[in-house]
Amino acid sequence: MLLLYVESGAGSRALALALANSFRQQGEQVELMSVSELLPPWLSDILFGQYYEWCMSGKQHHSKLYASRWFYPFLYRLLPMWLAFKGNNKLSEAKAVLRRHNKVVACSYYGAFFARYFARLAGHEIEISGVLGDYQISNGWRTPLTRLFISHQYDHPVLDWHRARGTRILPLGIPTEGSQGVTISPKTAVQACGSRLSVLLCGGGWGLGISASTVALLLTQAQFGKVTVICGQNVALYEQLKTRFSNDIAQQRLALTGFVSDMQSFYAQADIIITKAGGLTLTEAALTNTCLIIHGALPGQEQHNRAVFVAQGAALNAECEQELSELLSRLQTSAELRRQTAMQAASLVNAKASQQICHHLLASSK
């Protein structure tokens, strides 16, 4: 079985790793691969490198384009012509990879598209399943699939498109490393009002949405004990914060770290998590029964993730630093609000999603 992920953020790879570990626990041999390994560098840079640059620079001009219904159908017709015109020095390798497998699990719509494309060129029949890492489906998933695993039951035109084509849609949840047989210790009690709370500030694998002013705000909120900031792969942010807040770091009021592959211990030790609305981040945090504040969302899927969590009372939303400060003050004086928010978040996620998805895929192979 081949598990395909993409490099746009850490979420897709985290999905694939969670599933790979679950398959291996069942004794199933899997191959884990980035879509970029199947593509010529020029195309990988266009599809993923540019997106990274846009996100890191805060540009959002691409968001309406990606959200439009016609963009991906047009792109999927353009890509084969583009590859034929510019050439693909990895074509033989890509076809060989697909010939090794009869099942592909795509943790990205690009994984689903290119798996089918290269398998067709190789004259090889494969079964493709898609696994979503967000709380609403993207138009990019308008590509043929055998089955599609989604976060929860909801309606969407893309899901209607799949149902009309016989795709089996299964709302089993978002798979995470936290559901791989390692028991996450949920918070059995919420700290009382007036106690000093631990705050975790994170921005996904790329450290997006974190600013020095936000860190300063958290440090000036006297009620907080320790503030932990995860900068991800954003080295410039790490160095900036390290220099500016050196005294707070020395006094152990602030802890900085770079990219973290296993976030579970950080989530579990925090009383409040402040984050952008990445699907994996929200899911993993919800599994640890931690109160969530969403402070920023990338255009598109993260905005949908935020809408779902906020509508369900599973997260609080802070559009600006003034709102963030006011929310933190409310949470400090209301242990019940923290508890209710954490409970609602826990109700949205499935701790056994990885095992259930893998069991379903393995059962379908028999």
Side-chain angles (χ1 to χ4, degrees):
M1 192 173 299
L2 176 64
L3 302 181
L4 280 176
Y5 64 92
V6 297
E7 306 288 356
S8 55
S12 179
R13 186 173 186 271
L15 278 182
L17 283 170
L19 291 170
N21 288 340
S22 210
F23 276 122
R24 288 164 182 158
Q25 288 172 7
Q26 299 295 319
E28 181 75 9
Q29 295 297 315
V30 296
E31 183 175 2
L32 193 68
M33 182 171 287
S34 166
V35 173
S36 294
E37 296 178 56
L38 303 177
L39 302 178
W42 63 266
L43 182 54
S44 181
D45 183 61
I46 289 173
L47 295 179
F48 311 121
Q50 289 298 316
Y51 180 73
Y52 173 79
E53 294 298 328
W54 289 337
C55 290
M56 295 301 288
S57 62
K59 295 179 180 178
Q60 298 185 6
H61 60 271
H62 60 289
S63 59
K64 290 184 179 179
L65 185 67
Y66 288 177
S68 67
R69 182 174 179 177
W70 59 264
F71 174 73
Y72 287 102
F74 172 77
L75 179 64
Y76 291 158
R77 286 172 174 78
L78 176 64
L79 286 171
M81 293 187 287
W82 217 351
L83 283 164
F85 176 73
K86 294 201 66 171
N88 183 0
N89 59 350
K90 291 191 176 182
L91 179 58
S92 297
E93 178 184 345
K95 291 194 291 187
V97 168
L98 270 299
R99 287 193 187 104
R100 291 200 293 267
H101 304 278
N102 56 18
K103 285 182 178 292
V104 173
V105 178
C107 298
S108 154
Y109 47 79
Y110 282 126
F113 172 80
F114 283 111
R116 187 168 299 282
Y117 170 71
F118 289 123
R120 186 168 62 248
L121 292 182
H124 179 63
E125 288 191 14
I126 57 169
E127 180 182 290
I128 301 175
S129 299
V131 180
L132 268 61
D134 289 295
Y135 287 81
Q136 190 178 95
I137 194 167
S138 162
N139 284 316
W141 282 103
R142 287 181 185 265
T143 188
L145 299 168
T146 301
R147 60 186 64 82
L148 181 62
F149 298 96
I150 62 176
S151 58
H152 63 295
Q153 190 70 54
Y154 59 92
D155 294 321
H156 193 278
V158 176
L159 296 179
D160 294 337
W161 184 90
H162 276 288
R163 290 188 183 98
R165 286 158 179 78
T167 306
R168 188 171 182 193
I169 298 171
L170 300 113
L172 296 183
I174 295 178
T176 71
E177 285 289 351
S179 55
Q180 298 306 306
V182 178
T183 302
I184 302 171
S185 299
K187 297 174 179 63
T188 55
V190 176
Q191 284 188 261
C193 298
S195 59
R196 296 175 70 81
L197 304 177
S198 297
V199 178
L200 174 66
L201 176 63
C202 52
W206 292 345
L208 299 176
I210 298 173
S211 68
S213 62
T214 302
V215 176
L217 182 154
L218 295 176
L219 291 171
T220 56
Q221 299 266 138
Q223 68 267 33
F224 294 122
K226 189 171 184 178
V227 176
T228 302
V229 181
I230 299 180
C231 301
Q233 298 170 358
N234 196 333
V235 178
L237 173 67
Y238 179 88
E239 294 299 330
Q240 177 196 15
L241 299 180
K242 181 180 178 182
T243 300
R244 177 166 173 178
F245 299 104
S246 56
N247 290 336
D248 297 288
I249 294 170
Q251 296 169 14
Q252 298 186 340
R253 297 182 63 232
L254 173 66
L256 298 180
T257 187
F259 181 79
V260 175
S261 58
D262 184 2
M263 293 283 293
Q264 296 302 325
S265 61
F266 287 90
Y267 293 142
Q269 291 169 15
D271 298 298
I272 300 172
I273 297 172
I274 305 169
T275 180
K276 72 183 187 68
L280 262 292
T281 298
L282 295 178
T283 303
E284 290 176 340
L287 286 169
T288 59
N289 286 8
T290 307
C291 179
L292 281 162
I293 297 178
I294 297 175
H295 185 48
L298 291 175
Q301 295 308 107
E302 289 195 4
Q303 292 174 329
H304 296 307
N305 295 339
R306 177 175 61 188
V308 170
F309 268 69
V310 172
Q312 295 293 322
L316 303 169
N317 186 44
E319 294 285 353
C320 62
E321 289 187 357
Q322 178 62 35
E323 289 185 9
L324 177 60
S325 180
E326 292 171 358
L327 277 178
L328 290 170
S329 296
R330 286 177 58 200
L331 290 170
Q332 170 64 14
T333 57
S334 177
E336 180 62 17
L337 178 57
R338 300 200 305 273
R339 187 184 71 83
Q340 286 292 340
T341 304
M343 285 180 59
Q344 288 299 110
S347 71
L348 278 178
V349 298
N350 177 13
K352 297 182 179 180
S354 295
Q355 295 98 319
Q356 290 175 359
I357 290 172
C358 290
H359 287 161
H360 184 93
L361 289 168
L362 292 174
S364 68
S365 301
K366 297 177 181 178

